[in-house]
Structures are given as C-alpha cells and as structure tokens.
Amino acid sequence: MTIVRTPTEYHAALREIEYLWGSEPDTEEGKRLKEYLAAVDHYERISKVTPDVRAIA
C-alpha cells in the first residue's frame, strides 16, 4: 500500500505516476499506478494541495 505523507513523498509519487502512466490495468505496473493515484488523491484532499496541472499536461 502506498501512502503519501509529506510534500517530498507527494512529488516523488507524481514522478512515479508520470513514469507508470499508460500501464495496462491488469499488470503490476497498472496496479502500482492505481495505488499511487489513490495516495496522491488522498494527500491532496487532506492537505488541500492544489494539483499541479502542468505535471498533467
């Protein structure tokens, strides 16, 4: 289970998401992507971080 607790972990998770983006859902990479997405979403909600849309574009 992936947990994001600090800004440093948050930015590392965003880099990992970028790396894993496009992975097939039924693969280990796809499962890791899903975990990182959930962890980042949770961190953004509890810390009121504004998502960096530049990282998405």
Side-chain angles (χ1 to χ4, degrees):
M1 178 175 193
T2 303
I3 299 172
V4 176
R5 295 173 293 242
T6 66
T8 301
E9 290 176 343
Y10 173 72
H11 290 289
L14 290 178
R15 286 190 302 275
E16 197 65 23
I17 287 169
E18 184 177 4
Y19 174 74
L20 294 168
W21 196 256
S23 298
E24 293 295 323
D26 294 332
T27 63
E28 283 302 313
E29 291 84 7
K31 292 173 187 173
R32 283 181 37 222
L33 174 61
K34 187 175 178 180
E35 283 186 20
Y36 276 107
L37 288 169
V40 164
D41 180 58
H42 181 260
Y43 179 79
E44 288 174 348
R45 281 189 277 123
I46 65 168
S47 65
K48 298 181 178 145
V49 170
T50 303
D52 186 357
V53 293
R54 293 174 295 163
I56 299 168

